[in-house]
Structures are given as C-alpha cells and as structure tokens.
Amino acid sequence: MSLDWIYYAISWILLTWHSAWDAIGVPVDAVIGTNFAWILAIIFLVVTVRVILFPVFVKQIKSQRAMQALQPQVKALQEKHKGDRETLQKEMMELYRKEKANPLMGCLPMFLQIPVFLGLFHVLRRLDPAKQAKTLYGWSVEQFDSASNAKLFTAPIAGKFQSTTDELARLGANGTTVKIIAGVLVLVMMGTTYLTSRQMILKTGWAEDPQQRMIQRLMLYGIPLSLLVSGAIFPIGVIIYWVTNNLFTLGQQQWVLRKYPPPVTATKKATPAARNPVQPARQGGLFGRSKPAPQPPAKAAAPKVAAPKPGAKPVNPKKGRPAKRQG
C-alpha cells in the first residue's frame, strides 16, 4: 500500500504554514542560527493534527472513565475466576461489550498519530541537497532548498544524531553541534513522553485489569526508554514535532482532567478523614498549642435518695413540701 497520500498531506500542511509565517513577516533567514518560519511550521503541524484528532481524544477520555467505573466488577471477576485465565478473559470481554467500553480506545489517539510521525520522518529525511527529486510531494525547488538549509541553533532540521560525515557536509553542518542539539532534544523528548503517561496515571490510578496495567507500564517506562535508542535516527525536525506534541498533550490532559475529574470508585481506600470524621480543632495559629475541641457540658447527676430502712413506712415526698402561700 502506497503512503504517498500521507507524504503529500504532511508536505501540504508544512508548506501552507511556512507560507503563512513568511507572509506575516516571520524571518525566513536564520536568526540566532534558527529559521523560525520552518520551526513554527513544524509546531503548527502538531496543532493542526491535534485539532483534527480532538473528537477522538474526547472519546478516549470517555472510554477511560467507563473502564474506571467497571473496575469493581473487574476485580470481582478476578476473585471469582482466580486461576482460570481463559474464563476470566471471556467474562471480561463480555462485560466490556455489555457496558460498551473499549480497552484499546486509550491508545487510539497515539495510533492515529503514527502515520503523521512516519510521514514527517520521510519528508524530512529527503531534505538532502544531493536528492534529485526536489519537486516531489508538491515542493518547489525554492521551497526544498529553503527547508534543507533550515536550522535550529545552527543544526539542520534534517540532521540527526547519527548523521554521517557526508550527510553533514552536504547540509553544511558541524557534527558536534548537531550531536549536542539532537542529544538534548532526545532527552527532552524522553522526559516529556514519561510525564504525559505519569500525569494520566496519577489522576486515574493503576488499572485493576492485568492487560490494562501492562499497557500502562509500557507507556510509562517502555516507550521513553526505547526513545533513547530510536531517537538517534530521528531528524531534529521530527524530535521538535514529538516534543511539541507531548507539551500539547500535557496541557490538554490537564484541562480535561480538571474539567472532568475521574470518578471515585468503591475500590479506593477511605482517607483518614473519612474513617475518623471527628478531628480535634487546632487553635493558636501556626505555632500555637493544639487545643481539643470544646465538649458539650455533662448533664447534672440526679441526687441520690437513701433507701428506706427495713420495716419503715414509705415516705411520700409530696407531704414534706411547704404549702403555697395565698395572697
């Protein structure tokens, strides 16, 4: 299956944004060693893709909320079918089908962005002055030459940590500078990738379902560590795209989690305040002594009446009272 339609789409978005920033007056020539029009074109490629995928992101959040609401039932099934993995999986799939919850929906936005990432990766890799097909995917020769000379702090956006000496020479780049810029960006990419997964897990908690928990661990630790190796072959422009996408995700998740907080399930342990709602009041300011809360006054004890002696006649208490005076 040809992926040319993806390359054409990515190229069109990049060229459109570059033309827009050029028309606004963003410098095309390098300022502090950076061609800001091309850097902004990559950043707004992220914005364009995320705006298109926003409805999918909303469905992802709804699916995650549905999965959280089912955690008590999932835990009950795990206790019921302990040791019978096949029956457990069958019952859980039936539960998800009945409640219209999709465990894979949480990864859907990431999967949909893979073609965009691969498209940008392919487009930036061909920004080599030695390439003959400069007008491929709708580029003009002028646009191709401008992009191949675009730099971030003097490091070409088409350069990568593992660029060969010949590639660096054709791009007019210094190998040490490219390695430093690419290395720093790879570390930032790993850190922001870890933070996006950590942010979601801190708000929603670890899943009870073993498969969901395994996916969470893969997202939290596996993917950031894999970037330490794979990041060396990514062009600098692709790493800029990834970091921008992570920052966009952090902001979007923070807004959604604040506006639609995760549901409190019965599996969560009660807080100390919930277990012991009566707490002593603390008075006296930050460094004052702790005083106990005021207690209601105790009821006065009724006076004790001596028991009558054996054989004595009972005394009527009303007879001992003085008669009321009449005016």
Side-chain angles (χ1 to χ4, degrees), residues 49 88 128 142 173 202-203 235 245 303 308-309:
V49 173
L88 174 61
D128 188 335
E142 182 182 359
L202 286 178
K203 292 290 185 180
N245 187 63
K309 294 182 179 181

Side-chain angles (χ1 to χ4, degrees), residues 50 53-69 101-102 104-109 196 199-200 203-204 249 252-263:
R50 296 307 296 262
L53 293 181
F54 185 75
V56 179
F57 180 77
V58 173
K59 289 184 178 180
Q60 175 197 20
I61 296 297
K62 290 181 178 179
S63 178
Q64 289 175 340
R65 295 293 184 266
M67 294 295 296
Q68 286 179 280
N102 188 351
L104 300 179
M105 181 59 73
C107 302
L108 184 59
T196 55
Q199 181 190 50
M200 184 63 72
K203 292 290 185 180
T204 61
T249 301
Q252 187 172 263
Q253 286 183 168
Q254 181 65 24
W255 177 81
V256 170
L257 290 171
R258 181 175 297 179
K259 190 172 181 63
Y260 306 103

Side-chain angles (χ1 to χ4, degrees), residues 17-268:
W17 278 115
H18 178 265
S19 300
W21 296 120
D22 188 16
I24 291 173
V26 174
V28 178
D29 298 328
V31 178
I32 61 171
T34 302
N35 299 87
F36 286 101
W38 282 109
I39 301 301
L40 287 173
I42 295 174
I43 290 174
F44 275 80
L45 169 64
V46 176
V47 175
T48 303
V49 173
R50 296 307 296 262
V51 169
I52 294 173
L53 293 181
F54 185 75
V56 179
F57 180 77
V58 173
K59 289 184 178 180
Q60 175 197 20
I61 296 297
K62 290 181 178 179
S63 178
Q64 289 175 340
R65 295 293 184 266
M67 294 295 296
Q68 286 179 280
L70 292 177
Q71 289 306 306
Q73 299 181 54
V74 170
K75 191 171 183 180
L77 287 175
Q78 290 172 343
E79 293 293 332
K80 180 180 178 181
H81 301 291
K82 187 179 295 184
D84 189 352
R85 188 173 185 82
E86 183 177 352
T87 303
L88 174 61
Q89 293 298 325
K90 184 178 179 181
E91 292 287 339
M92 287 175 58
M93 290 300 104
E94 179 63 23
L95 175 64
Y96 294 151
R97 185 195 64 78
K98 181 180 178 181
E99 299 296 334
K100 298 181 180 180
N102 188 351
L104 300 179
M105 181 59 73
C107 302
L108 184 59
M110 182 185 70
F111 290 147
L112 291 178
Q113 291 183 73
I114 290 177
V116 180
F117 171 80
L118 294 176
L120 181 63
F121 181 82
H122 177 81
V123 168
L124 292 183
R125 282 191 64 184
R126 60 176 292 274
L127 292 180
D128 188 335
K131 302 283 185 182
Q132 297 299 320
K134 294 185 178 182
T135 58
L136 194 63
Y137 310 132
W139 293 65
S140 67
V141 175
E142 182 182 359
Q143 290 169 331
F144 182 93
D145 291 338
S146 175
S148 62
N149 291 317
K151 294 178 174 62
L152 174 67
F153 303 120
T154 72
I157 62 173
K160 50 186 180 294
F161 191 88
Q162 289 186 346
S163 290
T164 64
T165 304
D166 291 340
E167 290 173 341
L168 293 172
R170 291 194 297 269
L171 293 170
N174 179 278
T176 302
T177 301
V178 170
K179 281 181 168 53
I180 292 174
I181 298 299
V184 171
L185 286 175
V186 167
L187 294 178
V188 175
M189 177 174 62
M190 293 173 61
T192 53
T193 301
Y194 170 80
L195 289 176
T196 55
S197 298
R198 182 175 179 269
Q199 181 190 50
M200 184 63 72
I201 292 174
L202 286 178
K203 292 290 185 180
T204 61
W206 289 95
E208 297 288 344
D209 181 9
Q211 290 184 344
Q212 288 292 309
R213 186 179 288 261
M214 182 180 66
I215 293 175
Q216 285 179 321
R217 290 189 182 279
L218 176 64
M219 298 287 289
L220 185 62
Y221 301 114
I223 293 179
L225 288 176
S226 69
L227 295 176
L228 185 61
V229 178
S230 59
I233 66 172
F234 292 165
I236 288 176
V238 171
I239 303 177
I240 293 173
Y241 172 88
W242 193 304
V243 171
T244 305
N245 187 63
N246 286 343
L247 295 176
F248 198 99
T249 301
L250 284 170
Q252 187 172 263
Q253 286 183 168
Q254 181 65 24
W255 177 81
V256 170
L257 290 171
R258 181 175 297 179
K259 190 172 181 63
Y260 306 103
V264 179
T265 61
T267 57
K268 293 185 178 181

Side-chain angles (χ1 to χ4, degrees), residues 1-9 115 118-119 122 137:
M1 180 181 176
S2 175
L3 297 178
D4 283 356
W5 67 274
I6 295 177
Y7 307 146
Y8 274 102
L118 294 176
H122 177 81
Y137 310 132

